[in-house]
Structure formats: C-alpha cells, structure tokens
Amino acid sequence: MTGVPKAKQEHRSLLQRYAAAPHIAWSILFIVAPLVFVAYYAFTDGDGGFTWANIADFFTPTYLKIFFRSLKLAVIATAICLLIGYPIAYFISRCKPKTQRILILLLMLPMWMNFLIRTYAIMVLIQDTGIINSFLGNFGIDPIHMLGTEGAVILGMVYDYLPYMILPIYSVMAKLDYRLVEAAADLGCNGFGVLRKVILPLSLSGVISGITMVLVPSISTFYISQKLGGADMLLIGDVIEQQYNASNYNMTASLSLVLMLILLIGLAIVNRYSDSDEGGMMP
C-alpha cells in the first residue's frame, strides 16, 4: 500500500495550522493576556513596584473569614445540586430519546433567561411579602424570614447552577452500557449495589465535571449574595467587586489570583484521585 505523498502531508499540516490560528489568537487575546495583566497588578503596588503585600493581605483574618464563608456556602450548594441533580440525570438518561430531548429542553429553558432576572425571581418568591409567605398566610402560618440569610444565598446558587450539575452527568450516563447494569443485577446485586459498584464509578467523570461547573461560579459569585443575602452577607466575590469599584486594581488582582490558584489546586487534587477510579468498578 502506497503512503501519502510528502507534499500532500505538508499541505495538510499547513492547512491544520491555519485552521488552528484563530483559536490560538483568541486564546492569547482573551485568556493569556488577561492573566498576565492580573498577575502584574497582583505583584505590584500603586507605583508599579514589586510587592508581596497584596498577596499577603488575602491571608489576613478579615479576608480569610470571608473566603471560608464563601467556601462553606459554595460547598453546601454544590452538595445539594449533586444530591438533586444525580437522580434527575439518571432518570432522564433512562427515558426514551424523544422524552430525553423534551426534558433537556425544559431543563435549559430557565438558562435562556438573564441571570439577573432569575435571581430577582427568587427574591419575589422568598421575601417576607412574597409568594411563598402569602401562600403560607392563607393557612394562618406566620411569615418565614428567608431573604437576607445564608439559606437564601444557597437557594439562589442551587437554582441558578443546578443545570450545570445535571447536564454533564446526563451526558455521561446517556452513553453508559446498561448491559453492565443488567449483568450486575443478574449476579445478585440489589439496587444500591448496582448504583455503588457500576453506575457511580462509570459516571464519576460527569460528577467531577458537574462539581467543577457548580463550585467555581458559586464560590466567586457576588450578585446572588447581594440580592438574596443583603449588605451584611459579604462573600469573596463581593469583596473583589468592592475593590474594583474603589479602583484598587492591585488588591482586586491579588484576590482574584489567589482565589483562582486555590480553586485550581483543589480541582487538580480531586481530578488526580478520581482518575485512578474512573472507568473501573468499585470493590
């Protein structure tokens, strides 16, 4: 069998490089360049001199308290999204193809609305004179104060980011070979055993993707906390916005950089330990 002529190979390689050029240019312009500017401002002061002070300020008690509050709420919201989203993704993946398309469309419909409108919708539901408390008042139940609490912020995160948990898990489950599930059942596994030994290990990559897609925006959110948590509910995203509005770009950059590095390290650790189990069955 004759091979591909060398001239044709070189021509194809040249076309591939040209085809990749727009993507490379886009990445440099909108990913690499902004990160370079963030790093520059993070390690400089107002006069442009090198300093570690901006980075060190992140680890002061004030900022650490806000960061751990942000982390706590984000982890709780991510866990709730996982508990709700996993069975929903499994249910959708087991439906007929036409039903799957309809359910996915219904899941994505709220995402077509503006993020601000969705957050305002939560406010209308849970405020003291909102729809929920008005409904409870018909049964003689006193209004429940929900707006301005951590629970309201978590509710907003779950409502806004739940689809980002369901979709990656569903995309993995829809490709699973369910003959393995049937084989496990034939070999004596009960429903929980099939879930633990077959379905969960095979869908672990989707779970990791879902956790990433929910945790990262949740920990850095600021609009949800402002509208649902009130002025006293400061998260790390709110602090970054405040520093930016005050034109303190050096502190803004340092907070953003440290937060990004912490998230990347955490996600790298999770991915490292999940890769060893991915695709296999748990003992």
Side-chain angles (χ1 to χ4, degrees):
M1 184 177 66
T2 59
V4 180
K6 184 177 180 180
K8 193 172 183 179
Q9 290 180 346
E10 292 177 353
H11 178 68
R12 184 179 302 173
S13 177
L14 185 63
L15 287 177
Q16 290 174 348
R17 287 197 293 268
Y18 279 129
H23 173 72
I24 295 173
W26 179 277
S27 299
I28 294 174
L29 186 61
F30 294 104
I31 298 177
V32 177
L35 288 177
V36 171
F37 279 110
V38 169
Y40 169 77
Y41 279 104
F43 290 101
T44 56
D45 54 23
D47 298 325
F50 178 82
T51 180
W52 288 97
N54 299 324
I55 302 298
D57 285 344
F58 182 92
F59 298 97
T60 57
T62 300
Y63 288 117
L64 284 178
K65 180 180 178 181
I66 297 173
F67 169 74
F68 284 119
R69 179 194 298 151
S70 305
L71 180 63
K72 178 186 72 172
L73 298 184
V75 169
I76 294 174
T78 303
I80 294 174
C81 285
L82 180 60
L83 291 175
I84 298 175
Y86 195 90
I88 293 177
Y90 177 76
F91 171 77
I92 295 176
S93 68
R94 297 295 289 157
C95 293
K96 297 179 180 179
K98 183 177 180 180
T99 306
Q100 289 184 27
R101 290 193 291 269
I102 295 174
L103 292 176
I104 291 298
L105 177 63
L106 294 176
L107 178 67
M108 295 181 65
L109 273 177
M111 300 173 63
W112 296 354
M113 292 188 298
N114 186 276
F115 180 82
L116 307 183
I117 296 176
R118 299 203 306 268
T119 305
Y120 269 109
I122 293 293
M123 292 178 60
V124 173
L125 287 174
I126 67 174
Q127 61 186 357
D128 293 345
T129 57
I131 296 175
I132 294 178
N133 279 319
S134 298
F135 176 77
L136 295 177
N138 295 330
F139 299 95
I141 302 176
D142 294 333
I144 302 175
H145 180 67
M146 294 176 280
L147 196 63
T149 63
E150 290 186 350
V153 176
I154 293 173
L155 176 62
M157 292 178 179
V158 172
Y159 173 71
D160 283 315
Y161 301 130
L162 180 60
Y164 298 112
M165 179 67 73
I166 296 176
L167 291 175
I169 297 177
Y170 159 76
S171 66
V172 173
M173 284 189 170
K175 301 173 185 177
L176 291 183
D177 186 355
Y178 280 93
R179 290 177 298 181
L180 297 174
V181 176
E182 296 172 357
D186 291 340
L187 292 173
C189 273
N190 56 21
F192 179 75
V194 171
L195 174 65
R196 185 176 67 87
K197 296 182 178 181
V198 180
I199 298 177
L200 184 58
L202 293 177
S203 61
L204 189 59
S205 60
V207 172
I208 297 299
S209 297
I211 291 175
T212 303
M213 295 178 68
V214 174
L215 181 64
V216 172
S218 294
I219 199 173
S220 58
T221 187
F222 61 93
Y223 190 80
I224 294 176
S225 57
Q226 289 176 2
K227 296 302 178 183
L228 302 182
D232 296 331
M233 187 65 64
L234 272 182
L235 301 185
I236 193 65
D238 300 310
V239 177
I240 293 174
E241 186 201 23
Q242 289 178 357
Q243 295 294 334
Y244 178 81
N245 290 336
S247 298
N248 189 355
Y249 302 130
N250 301 98
M251 196 63 202
T252 301
S254 65
L255 293 175
S256 302
L257 182 63
V258 175
L259 179 61
M260 181 183 67
L261 291 176
I262 291 174
L263 288 174
L264 289 176
I265 293 172
L267 294 175
I269 293 173
V270 171
N271 286 326
R272 178 181 177 84
Y273 284 99
S274 65
D275 287 343
S276 60
D277 295 329
E278 188 177 332
M281 292 192 181
M282 297 176 68

